Amino acid sequence: MSRPFDIGLETLTGQPLLSGNVARQGVGAGQRGTFFLETFGCQMNDHDSEKVAGVLLSRGYRQVEKPEAASLILYNTCSIREKAAQKVFSRLGEYRDKQAEGKIIGVLGCVAQQEGEDIFTRAPWVSLVCGSASYSKLPEMIAQLEAGNHRVTGLDTDTDETFETDVTRRDNPWRAYLTIIEGCDKACSYCVVPYTRGPERSRASDSILREVRQLADLGYSEVQLLGQTVNSYADPTARRMRFSELLLAVAEVEGIRRVRFTTSHPSDFTRDIVEAIESQPKLCDHVHLPVQSGSTRVLRAMQRTYSREEYLEKIAMIRNASRPIAITTDVIVGFPGETESEFEETLSLLSEVKYHNLFSFKYSPRPNTPSLAMRDMIPEEEKGRRLAVLQERQREIQTVQHATLVGETFEVLVSGKSRRENQWFGYSTSHRVINFTSQATELLGTYVQVHVTGAGPNNLVGEHAA
Ligand code: SAM
Ligand code: SF4
């Protein structure tokens, strides 16, 4: 779902013009050039791209939908699994002749951080490599290229500038992403994030709340706080707000109706977060709590810092809340050395917890990670089989769970309109997708009551209740 590209800067900022940048000096949209930006990856990558687009738009660049029309072609890529990293190199291959036409080709994000200057060797037509902590410096880096520099890099990982961009061009006009904590200090043995995004840095609570107030003024009613381990948030200011206090403060901002947060790490998931959800209805009934495996032996090998039993205690704490909270998770199958019976422990965990949704991945060996050196790599074919079995189990669970919701009524934030007449879709506070019929002519971005009349494994269907 993307917004048109020609949004006025006033709409993005809520201010007439920006501070300390080219736009202030009177450079109009497109006068500096045009850019095409493609993103592969998670919500944090999507949000990083929103910041990159904001930085460039505010400096007088215009965003275009096709690389052919751009003077600047940028790929923002995730490297969490090998496939995503390969994808960017195959995309770059399509543009090997474009440098000769005067186009600047750049790689941003985790792949940029991970591969660094090696990208210039692998794809010599690339002239810009920039990790996520250096996005605010992009205009200066591009200016260097325009001035005749052949190659520029921005590869710091622990700068404080990560969060602060003057303008963010958000794709969704109702739900705004907001990164509150960057990097990660956990050391899961399979994961590249600590290498690509650097150490954990939390954003100042007053800066977060200022941006939330601006977002509410611009008409956003839902905010989603982001971080690799969002609940490890540690306010660097004298206020020392706890994560749960921050959630409550965000919910109190006038105009905000829903607050989400992702991803939570089980070890840092504490009772006060559940209490905050219990006490404040604007905090959504949904927690994403990645488990990765149902086997304590595998969890230890993954360096996940909790056992199966400790994880289940967190689940019990959430389930005991005074209102129902949907729980979703991430699972990796085929971690090195995972036996058939350890895999079955993951299946039994699924049956026990009955997740509302699940994101599942085949283990992917990543550069620099400790698990690379582990023995007993599971063959690709076997990983594929385990993934299919896991997904089928989850499908059965969701089918049963969704059937119990028929007859209920949910509040839905209407997020899209289907091509079929009178068909809309949106999300409940527990992040269930509901497709529904309504005779109304305009509902996008509004909150409506939907009566559920049917259910499938992946969504609910219903009717707009008067
Ligand atoms: N920080 C989050 C956490 O601790 O759960 C997850 C961040 S990661 C972007 C999202 C998911 O990708 C992880 O939860 C994990 O399931 C998956 N993942 C990470 N590294 C992986 C790897 N090497 N192979 C397969 N899946 C991986
Ligand atoms: Fe990666 Fe683990 Fe950090 Fe999540 S908690 S980002 S999986 S190292």
Side-chain angles (χ1 to χ4, degrees):
M1 141 167 0
S2 40
R3 262 217 278 210
F5 292 129
D6 56 349
I7 308 161
L9 286 173
E10 292 83 352
T11 314
L12 291 167
T13 57
Q15 296 158 11
L17 267 182
L18 308 162
S19 56
N21 58 37
V22 182
R24 186 185 228 175
Q25 293 157 22
V27 177
Q31 244 170 280
R32 311 270 319 189
T34 48
F35 70 98
F36 168 80
L37 173 59
E38 190 170 3
T39 314
F40 305 105
C42 63
Q43 286 153 329
M44 288 197 70
N45 264 48
D46 286 342
H47 182 43
D48 281 350
S49 282
E50 293 179 336
K51 289 191 213 169
V52 168
V55 166
L56 293 174
L57 285 166
S58 67
R59 265 71 173 181
Y61 288 85
R62 185 164 59 84
Q63 189 167 13
V64 292
E65 284 183 77
K66 292 210 164 86
E68 293 74 26
S71 55
L72 184 60
I73 301 175
L74 300 172
Y75 289 103
N76 180 11
T77 55
C78 161
S79 61
I80 203 96
R81 283 170 292 278
E82 200 177 2
K83 257 195 184 154
Q86 279 167 354
K87 210 165 165 180
V88 69
F89 281 105
S90 85
R91 266 297 199 279
L92 287 174
E94 294 169 25
Y95 292 99
R96 65 185 320 149
D97 304 329
K98 298 292 176 204
Q99 197 193 26
E101 294 171 17
K103 291 185 193 287
I104 293 172
I105 298 166
V107 180
L108 314 175
C110 300
V111 169
Q113 200 68 54
Q114 183 180 293
E115 305 283 329
E117 298 194 3
D118 288 352
I119 294 177
F120 296 137
T121 315
R122 235 173 125 176
W125 54 96
V126 170
S127 43
L128 171 72
V129 171
C130 177
S132 57
S134 304
Y135 290 154
S136 58
K137 297 199 191 98
L138 263 178
E140 292 84 75
M141 294 167 74
I142 295 164
Q144 284 176 32
L145 289 168
E146 287 169 348
N149 268 9
H150 193 45
R151 283 170 178 168
V152 294
T153 54
L155 294 169
D156 294 341
T157 50
D158 58 356
T159 69
D160 287 336
E161 293 167 32
T162 315
F163 304 111
E164 313 292 346
T165 48
D166 291 340
V167 191
T168 302
R169 186 196 61 76
R170 291 188 158 83
D171 287 334
N172 185 318
W174 311 290
R175 175 193 294 182
Y177 292 139
L178 210 73
T179 302
I180 64 161
I181 174 168
E182 254 295 349
C184 182
D185 280 351
K186 308 274 190 252
C188 303
S189 62
Y190 51 81
C191 184
V192 285
V193 168
Y195 309 95
T196 58
R197 288 192 172 263
E200 195 177 286
R201 287 101 68 206
S202 292
R203 181 175 175 179
S205 54
D206 48 358
S207 154
I208 296 170
L209 291 168
R210 200 177 322 118
E211 190 167 354
V212 174
R213 282 192 288 271
Q214 274 174 7
L215 289 166
D217 287 345
L218 287 169
Y220 291 92
S221 60
E222 181 174 313
V223 288
Q224 179 156 358
L225 307 183
L226 297 179
Q228 292 297 343
T229 55
V230 72
N231 56 326
S232 313
Y233 177 77
D235 184 6
T237 71
R239 274 176 101 177
R240 295 270 174 263
M241 268 189 153
R242 301 183 73 182
F243 177 62
S244 55
E245 290 168 333
L246 179 70
L247 287 176
L248 292 170
V250 170
E252 273 156 28
V253 171
E254 207 182 316
I256 297 300
R257 276 182 74 156
R258 284 184 176 180
V259 183
R260 300 186 183 280
F261 54 96
T262 199
T263 295
S264 294
H265 192 286
S267 298
D268 296 336
F269 202 87
T270 43
R271 171 90 205 129
D272 55 314
I273 303 173
V274 178
E275 284 165 0
I277 297 175
E278 286 177 321
S279 70
Q280 172 52 275
K282 290 185 191 175
L283 300 184
C284 287
D285 306 341
H286 175 211
V287 172
H288 184 61
L289 202 66
V291 66
Q292 313 300 358
S293 168
S295 149
T296 297
R297 208 253 346 133
V298 174
L299 288 170
R300 296 266 182 264
M302 289 177 163
Q303 290 166 209
R304 278 298 282 184
T305 68
Y306 52 84
S307 64
R308 175 188 174 107
E309 288 66 35
E310 283 160 345
Y311 180 86
L312 285 172
E313 281 167 20
K314 304 283 176 172
I315 296 292
M317 185 172 82
I318 300 169
R319 291 270 187 253
N320 286 334
S322 55
R323 63 185 165 119
I325 299 174
I327 305 172
T328 53
T329 201
D330 293 347
V331 169
I332 297 177
V333 297
F335 187 76
E338 182 191 65
T339 64
E340 182 61 29
S341 73
E342 286 166 345
F343 170 62
E344 277 166 19
E345 287 185 67
T346 302
L347 293 179
S348 79
L349 186 99
L350 257 52
S351 302
E352 193 168 341
V353 177
K354 296 194 175 58
Y355 291 105
H356 140 58
N357 202 350
L358 166 115
F359 300 88
S360 50
F361 311 99
K362 291 192 277 185
Y363 167 72
S364 170
R366 305 308 298 128
N368 304 317
T369 57
S371 63
L372 259 190
M374 290 179 186
R375 283 182 301 171
D376 293 334
M377 287 290 169
I378 310 293
E380 267 316 296
E381 204 181 318
E382 177 57 14
K383 285 194 248 179
R385 186 194 69 79
R386 290 183 192 178
L387 190 71
V389 171
L390 184 94
Q391 290 177 344
E392 184 49 36
R393 175 68 60 93
Q394 180 62 20
R395 194 181 152 82
E396 289 161 10
I397 292 168
Q398 283 179 208
T399 305
V400 173
Q401 230 177 43
H402 283 179
T404 66
L405 302 174
V406 175
E408 291 199 26
T409 299
F410 293 100
E411 184 194 70
V412 164
L413 168 56
V414 186
S415 305
K417 189 177 191 328
S418 148
R419 279 205 204 107
R420 298 213 321 264
E421 215 179 324
N422 304 330
Q423 287 286 332
W424 307 78
F425 76 88
Y427 294 89
S428 69
T429 150
S430 55
H431 213 240
R432 289 195 164 88
V433 181
I434 310 191
N435 297 303
F436 66 98
T437 50
S438 171
Q439 305 304 321
T441 48
E442 190 46 78
L443 287 179
L444 289 175
T446 64
Y447 291 80
V448 299
Q449 297 292 320
V450 175
H451 181 69
V452 177
T453 53
N458 296 318
N459 65 344
L460 301 172
V461 291
E463 289 163 359
H464 187 172

